[in-house]
Amino acid sequence: MFRPTSLALASLLALSACATPPQDTPPADEGDTAFAPAPPPPALEDEGIREKPPVICNDQAGQWAVGQLADEALVEKVQADTQSKYVRVIKPGMMVTMDYREDRVNIDVDEENRVTAVRCG
């Protein structure tokens, strides 16, 4: 009889060790904002904040460069004229990513570094 009682007592002791002690949580005050929903973000027009329009390349504005020697000044002028945020000069056989970016102008050049095409992407 002593053995079954000892086994039961040992089992209860082992289970009680696994139990999580109760957590005392204080009652929430009226001013407690820990679980209050976040206020909505302010409207952009309410504070006079305006989003900038997206930068979009205009490759037609850079067509004047076709046939010209692609030096640093020409590349900067094509970027400014096409209103592009980014510019990329692509040489023959050069590996480039195939992603399309409407804020980037690509300047294709030949072996002699002359512009063969100006295109967005």
Side-chain angles (χ1 to χ4, degrees):
M1 176 135 177
F2 181 68
R3 192 170 203 186
T5 307
S6 297
L7 260 171
L9 189 57
S11 297
L12 284 174
L13 187 59
L15 286 176
S16 68
C18 294
T20 306
Q23 301 281 331
D24 289 337
T25 55
D29 292 351
E30 292 292 325
D32 186 17
T33 59
F35 296 105
L44 293 178
E45 285 130 54
D46 289 349
E47 296 182 17
I49 301 171
R50 302 245 183 247
E51 285 188 28
K52 292 181 181 178
V55 176
I56 298 176
C57 169
N58 174 13
D59 58 359
Q60 294 303 313
Q63 295 305 313
W64 60 266
V66 175
Q68 307 267 342
L69 189 60
D71 59 6
E72 190 174 333
L74 179 131
V75 171
E76 288 175 5
K77 182 150 177 43
V78 168
Q79 183 179 9
D81 288 354
T82 59
Q83 300 175 356
S84 300
K85 188 172 183 179
Y86 303 102
V87 63
R88 177 168 66 173
V89 178
I90 303 173
K91 298 179 180 187
M94 183 175 166
M95 293 180 62
V96 294
T97 61
M98 296 300 293
D99 63 327
Y100 180 84
R101 296 190 58 144
E102 58 186 18
D103 60 349
R104 176 176 61 202
V105 63
N106 293 310
I107 302 173
D108 294 315
V109 296
D110 61 13
E111 293 83 10
E112 297 170 0
N113 211 34
R114 294 216 178 263
V115 177
T116 59
V118 175
R119 56 191 171 81
C120 295

